[in-house]
Amino acid sequence: MTTHHPASVEGLLLTADHLLHGELAGVTTAGRHRGACLALRTALELCVDRALEAAGPGRSRTTGRAKLLLLHSVAPAETARRAKALWSQLSLGCHYHLYELGPAYDQVRAWRAEAGDLARELTPRSGG
């Protein structure tokens, strides 16, 4: 996970939607699914970074694995567990493996729904 993100969570989720709906000509189905996984994983990473930074400045300046562990201290345990599980699935889905099929459309749609849910749950709420 990186700390600097020029893209928005909403933009990345929208990019995943466009890829899943086949709105890019000349890209294979497998390539669109992997691309959607990468956009979703990046959106999740951005949400984790924001949740950690909202809990205390500098918390997001660590390794990806450490961020997912730290998430347990700033989010409900179930939310942190789901984020770690989704990140792992998306990481597998966005990489090419010679002897494995890429992620199926239904898998990526389910991951998209989970990423949207987690984005809402991890978004820091302003006072009140």
Side-chain angles (χ1 to χ4, degrees):
M1 288 188 210
T2 59
T3 303
H4 175 69
H5 297 280
S8 71
V9 172
E10 298 77 17
L12 290 162
L13 295 176
L14 186 60
T15 296
D17 290 339
H18 288 309
L19 286 164
L20 283 171
H21 292 116
E23 296 176 17
L24 294 175
V27 179
T28 66
T29 300
R32 287 195 315 270
H33 292 175
R34 283 194 182 88
C37 287
L38 184 58
L40 293 171
R41 189 182 78 179
T42 304
L44 179 61
E45 290 171 351
L46 182 53
C47 289
V48 169
D49 282 352
R50 288 179 179 171
L52 292 174
E53 281 299 314
R59 286 191 182 198
S60 69
R61 284 180 257 150
T62 187
T63 66
R65 176 167 281 163
K67 288 177 187 183
L68 291 170
L69 290 171
L70 279 171
L71 191 58
H72 285 274
S73 69
V74 302
E78 180 63 14
T79 300
R81 184 203 62 76
R82 287 173 41 225
K84 184 175 189 276
L86 180 61
W87 189 88
S88 296
Q89 293 291 328
L90 291 170
S91 291
L92 289 173
C94 68
H95 289 97
Y96 175 78
H97 301 280
L98 185 61
Y99 294 104
E100 294 179 17
L101 295 174
Y105 175 84
D106 291 337
Q107 282 180 304
V108 183
R109 285 300 309 161
W111 294 337
R112 165 58 180 93
E114 179 71 349
D117 291 344
L118 284 167
R120 283 185 292 281
E121 293 173 35
L122 291 171
T123 298
R125 292 175 182 36
S126 28

